[in-house]
Amino acid sequence: MVRVSGNFGFARPFGQDGSLPEDRSLDIFIPGKYLKGYLPGEQVQVVLSRHPRRPDTREGEIMSMARSAEQKSTAQTVEQPPCVTGTVISQFGRLWLNPDFCPGMLLRLDRDGLEKADLGQKVAAQLVYRGRDYDGHVFALQRRFGDSTTALACCNAILFENGIATEYPAKALQQAKALQVAAGRLSVESGETGGAHFSLQEKADRLDLTDKAIFTVDSDATKDMDDALDIAPLPGGGWTLGVHIADVSHYVRSYDALDKAALARGTSVYWADRVVPMLPPQLSNDLCSLNAGVERLAFSCLMQLDADGNVWQFRFVKTVICSRVKGVYTEINALLSDKAEQAIVEKYAPIADQLTMLQQLYLKFAAKRQVRGGMDIESGESKLTVDASGKCIGVSKRQSGESERIIEECMILANGCAARYARENRLPFLYRVHEKPTADRVDSLKTVLGALGVPYHFEKELPSQTELAELLEQTRCTPLETPVHTAILRAMTKADYRPQPLGHYGLALQDYAHFTSPIRRYPDLAIHRILSDAVARQGTTDLTRRYKGFVEYAATQSSLRERMAMKAERDCEDCYKAEYMQQFVGKLFDGVITAVTGFGFYVGLPDTVEGLVRAETLSAAPLQLQEGVSLADPLTGKIWRVGDALRVRLISVSVPLGQIDFIPE
C-alpha cells in the first residue's frame, strides 16, 4: 500500500528487482470497501478487477497480506506490526490518533500508556490489535516527538516514518569510539581536536603531500569535510589538479559494524540546520574530516590537464595531506569578485594564486560543458534559517556563486576519472547512472512546451542534451523558468546507482561515478574500497570474485536509501516553510503560478515558499484542466496559466502536513 484516503487507497506493484518504483502511473486504485484496514507500507496481495470504473485504469481488491515478500522500503518486515505517525487529538471524550497518512481519519489508541500522552503531541504508534477495518484497529503509543505545531517535532516523526535512524547501533558506536581512542584522541564532545592520528609506518606507505598548499572549500557550518584540492601550472601549459578525498575506507572495513551501519543508512540526511550523518561523528567530524592544520589520510585523484582543460593523464594514489585553509564559499566568492575585506584577503593569501588558476580552469570546464550539452536545471533550492530553539525564522532562495561552480566541476572531473578507470579495467563497480528520457516522457514535455508557447525543435524523436540545455538557457530568469525547468526535470529519468557503466545523460558524460563524498554517501565509500584494492595491484579476477555480488546489492540499497532520504528532506523542508509562514496568515504576497492540477494550482513566492490555491476557492463549477498547464472556469471563462503572475492572500497553514493555502486577491 502506498496511499490511503478516507474511502479509497492505492497499491503499487514491486519491480522485478524487488524495489518499489516511484512511478505513480503504476498504482492500482483500491475502493474503500476493499481496503480491509491495510495501512500504507504494508505489503498486500491484490486481485485486479476485470471491469474497472474508469477505462484504461487499474482497479483491484486486496485479498490478503503478502507474507513472502522481502524487506519493505520502510525497513519494516511483514512480520513486524506496522507503525504509523500522527497527532494525538481529542474527540468524543477520549484521545485518538490522527494519522499523517490520512488526516481525516481517527485511529483508536490503547488506553494503556495514554496517561503519558499530551494533546497535540506528534507521536508514533504501533498496531497492537488488527480489526476488520480501520475503525477496529488499536494502536499503542511507541514514541513521542513533541509538539505537533513545531517543525522540529514533525521532522523527527518524518525521519522515523522513513526508517532513518538518529541513533547508531551499539557495536558501530563502540567501534567508532575505539578508533578515536586508538588514535590517541578525546571524544568530539570534549572539544579537543587536532593532531595526526596514524602511525609513522602508515604515513611511510603513502605519498606524502603535506608540503602542498592543499585546501578545502565548504559552507561555514560544515563539519564533515571530505574533499580538498590543489592546483599548479605545468611548464608547457596546462595544469596539475589534485582532488583529495578523505580515506574513509581506511577506517571502515568490509562487513565490520561501521560498514553494516553505513550500508543500512546509505547516505547522510540534511535538513534545516541539522544532519543525520551516515557515519558517527567520531569519524564524520573528526578522524576522517579534512580539518585545517592537521594531517589526514586521503585517497587522491592526481590529474594532468592540457591548456583546454582536457585530462590527458590521471592516477589514484593513497596520500597524507594537511589542509592549509578551511575555505568558505561566501568568502571565496567575495574574493573572486574583488569585494573581500582585508581579513579575507589575508586568510586566503597562501592559496591566492591557486584560486586564480581555478577561476581560469573553470572557464575551460564551462565551455566544454556547454559544447557537450551538460544541463544546468534551476532547482530553486531553499535556505532555511532557524533560531536557537529550532524554529524557522527565515526562508530564502539559496544562492550559488562562482566558487560553488568551480568546486563542482573539479569534483565532477574526479568522479569521471574514477568511473573511467573502473570501466577500462573492467572492475566490479558502482556507477552513477542517468539514462535517456523515455519517449512518453518526451511527448509529455512537448505538450507542455507547446501549451506554454515555448518554441522548440528536436531533430530526432528523443532530444539531445544540447537541445534541452538550450531550452533551459532560453527560459532562465524569465516567468517561464520554473515551469519549463520543472517540465524538463520531470521528463528525465531518475539517476541511481548501477553495476553497469551506462553513462550520465544530464551531465552528458560517458563515465560517471560518485567518488568524492565517502563520509556522506555509501557508494563513494564502496568504490574507494574497490579502487584501493585495484591500485594495490589486486587482479581483476580476484576483485570480481570479491565484489561482484556486493556491488549489485550495494547499488540497489544505496539507490533506495537515497530516494528515502530525499523524500524525508523534502517533507521536512515543507514543515519548516509552513512553520515560517504561520506568522503571515492574512497577508498578501506576489507570486507566480508554478503548476496546475485538477484540484487547483500552486503559487511560488520569490523566497521559494510554495502554496496551493484550491479549486473550490476559484469557482462553484468544476474547473477544466487544459494540457496540464492551465485551469479554466467554465462559468466565467477565466483562465489561470502556468507562469502567470498572481497576488494571493495566505489563508491557512498546517505545520504537521507541511501545507500552505492561498486564495487569489
Side-chain angles (χ1 to χ4, degrees), residues 499-518:
Q500 303 86 16
L502 302 179
H504 197 291
Y505 180 82
L507 293 174
L509 292 173
Q510 177 188 6
D511 297 309
Y512 201 64
H514 276 166
F515 168 78
T516 55
S517 293

Side-chain angles (χ1 to χ4, degrees), residues 54-83:
R54 295 175 56 187
D56 301 323
T57 63
R58 297 200 296 176
E59 185 175 316
E61 176 182 355
I62 297 177
M63 302 305 295
S64 64
M65 184 178 291
R67 295 286 178 183
S68 60
E70 294 184 0
Q71 188 178 24
K72 292 164 49 173
S73 62
T74 55
Q76 298 173 342
T77 60
V78 292
E79 289 79 11
Q80 294 176 323
C83 282

Side-chain angles (χ1 to χ4, degrees), residues 520-566:
R520 312 176 192 188
R521 294 185 302 229
Y522 190 83
D524 306 54
L525 171 58
I527 69 173
H528 272 228
R529 194 173 289 147
I530 297 167
L531 287 172
S532 295
D533 287 347
V535 299
R537 304 299 183 186
Q538 289 194 25
T540 302
T541 302
D542 290 339
L543 291 174
T544 300
R545 182 168 54 247
R546 181 178 181 185
Y547 290 114
K548 184 178 185 298
F550 165 74
V551 297
E552 291 173 353
Y553 175 75
T556 300
Q557 168 69 1
S558 298
S559 298
L560 172 64
R561 296 306 301 179
E562 179 187 47
R563 291 194 297 269
M564 294 174 69
M566 291 175 66

Side-chain angles (χ1 to χ4, degrees), residues 209-216 228-230 242 244 300 320-325 351 354:
L209 298 179
T210 54
D211 61 331
K212 300 282 188 181
I214 292 170
F215 59 97
T216 63
L229 69 162
D230 74 309
H244 315 282
S300 300
V320 179
I321 69 169
C322 182
S323 172
R324 302 291 179 87
V325 178
I351 59 169
Q354 292 194 62

Side-chain angles (χ1 to χ4, degrees), residues 202-354:
E202 287 175 314
K203 184 173 182 177
D205 291 339
R206 292 170 174 260
L207 178 63
D208 188 350
L209 298 179
T210 54
D211 61 331
K212 300 282 188 181
I214 292 170
F215 59 97
T216 63
V217 185
D218 281 287
S219 69
D220 186 42
T222 300
K223 296 179 180 178
D224 51 351
M225 293 172 286
D226 47 16
D227 57 85
L229 69 162
D230 74 309
I231 187 172
L234 285 171
W239 302 268
T240 62
L241 177 64
V243 174
H244 315 282
I245 308 301
D247 192 3
V248 181
S249 63
H250 175 81
Y251 299 98
V252 182
R253 303 301 176 93
S254 296
Y255 306 115
D256 65 14
L258 280 170
D259 184 52
K260 292 177 181 177
L263 178 56
R265 289 169 179 253
T267 181
S268 296
V269 182
Y270 298 86
W271 80 101
D273 63 336
R274 296 171 183 263
V275 59
V276 178
M278 184 180 75
L279 296 170
Q282 289 83 0
L283 275 75
S284 62
N285 295 357
D286 187 16
L287 296 181
C288 297
S289 184
L290 305 181
N291 300 325
V294 293
E295 294 185 359
R296 289 288 187 261
L297 302 181
F299 198 5
S300 300
C301 178
L302 305 180
M303 297 165 277
Q304 294 192 350
L305 289 73
D306 64 22
D308 294 321
N310 299 305
V311 177
W312 60 272
Q313 184 176 329
F314 68 90
R315 63 181 176 132
F316 289 92
V317 60
K318 297 282 186 161
T319 58
V320 179
I321 69 169
C322 182
S323 172
R324 302 291 179 87
V325 178
K326 179 188 176 182
V328 178
Y329 285 124
T330 53
E331 294 175 351
I332 296 179
N333 287 336
L335 201 64
L336 295 177
S337 60
D338 295 323
K339 297 178 181 178
E341 298 178 356
Q342 185 59 32
I344 300 300
V345 174
E346 293 174 0
K347 173 183 175 179
Y348 291 94
I351 59 169
D353 291 343
Q354 292 194 62

